[in-house]
Each structure stands twice: as structure tokens, then as C-alpha cells.
Amino acid sequence: MNETDLRLLRVAIDVAARAREHGNHPFGAILADANGTILMEAENTVVTTGDATGHAETNLIRAASPVIPAATLATSTLYTSTEPCPMCAGAIFWSGVGRVVFALPQDGLYGLTGDSPHKLPLSCRKVFSHAGRTVEVEGPALEPEALNVHLGFWS
């Protein structure tokens, strides 16, 4: 992980803060090309749309897939404020995105959410390990910054 990765991960954390300000769960994701240029960003929209699949990463993939060429997606990185859940990891895989960088790990998130039936503790690395192509994963990183966006939200 390099300085560009850390800078872009902070942007994803800022998007998560905006999602929270907009009344949604505090998750954000951005897509950047191989040069580190931000191509697109997306917030979590689960609460405001009533769509349980409105996770930041899934929203990003839905928006990016029709307009960004497959060759660009393959060399792009998806930066996300929190480790992708299994659903989002599947969307990332199917989109062809080649790399994921995340801040807060799944177990860090679940430590905040308390005893909830809405947990699917399966790491994105585990999901990708069963994939037919390699998806590079880096993280966690900047955990204190990513954690800060969630403080007080889940209680």
C-alpha cells in the first residue's frame, strides 16, 4: 500500500461520512483507475432507498459497469471505508475490478454493531479465494479514521 492508496482510502472514508449525513449507514466507496484518478464514488443508500442491496460497493459497481470499459475495470482499484461484505465481494468479482483496498475490517465493524442478526461473517478474501480470477486485496488500513465514522451510529 502506498501514499496514493492511503489518500484514496481517506476519500472513501469521507464518502462514508457523507452517507451518514444523508441518513444512511456510514459506508463509502470510490473507484480509481490505474493512475489513481477517481472515476466514480458511491454512498450506502440502504435507509433512504429501502433497498437492502444499496451498499456503497454494490451501488458503485452498478453505476460503473455500464459505462467503464472492462479493460479499465480490470486495472482499477475499489477503495472502501469498510471491508466488503460477501454480497459486495461478489459484485466486485463479477464486475471485473482487479483490486480492493479497505479501511475498517469486518470484525471491527461487527464489534460495533452489537448482537444483530444482520451479520454474515465471511471475509472478502475468503470470497475471492473461491473466484475464477484473482482479485488483489489490501487492508485493513487507517482503521482509527474509518472507525471514527461509525462511532455512535450503531448504538
Side-chain angles (χ1 to χ4, degrees):
M1 198 171 306
N2 59 40
E3 287 304 313
T4 299
D5 291 329
L6 295 174
R7 177 180 57 81
L8 294 172
L9 202 49
R10 284 187 174 100
V11 173
I13 293 167
D14 289 342
V15 174
R18 275 202 321 265
R20 183 175 179 168
E21 290 168 6
H22 294 146
N24 288 293
H25 301 142
F27 301 101
I30 66 164
L31 185 68
D33 69 14
N35 297 317
T37 301
I38 296 174
L39 303 173
M40 199 170 282
E41 64 181 46
E43 301 174 9
N44 177 289
T45 58
V46 169
V47 175
T48 55
T49 64
D51 178 359
T53 67
H55 294 194
E57 300 91 339
T58 305
N59 287 340
L60 182 65
I61 295 303
R62 277 191 199 113
S65 294
V67 297
I68 297 177
T72 301
L73 289 172
T75 60
S76 293
T77 299
L78 189 149
Y79 295 88
T80 182
S81 61
T82 305
E83 182 176 0
C85 73
M87 175 185 70
C88 292
I92 292 164
F93 168 74
W94 290 113
S95 74
V97 168
R99 182 170 177 252
V100 173
V101 177
F102 68 88
L104 185 67
Q106 187 180 84
D107 59 348
L109 171 66
Y110 287 160
L112 295 171
T113 59
D115 189 23
S116 167
H118 301 289
K119 293 181 180 180
L120 189 53
L122 184 63
S123 75
C124 68
R125 283 184 173 93
K126 183 74 169 174
V127 173
F128 294 140
S129 75
H130 294 278
R133 68 173 180 83
T134 299
V135 178
E136 182 184 346
V137 178
E138 293 199 48
L142 305 176
E143 290 179 67
E145 293 175 43
L147 182 65
N148 197 41
V149 178
H150 291 270
L151 293 179
F153 183 84
W154 302 102
S155 52

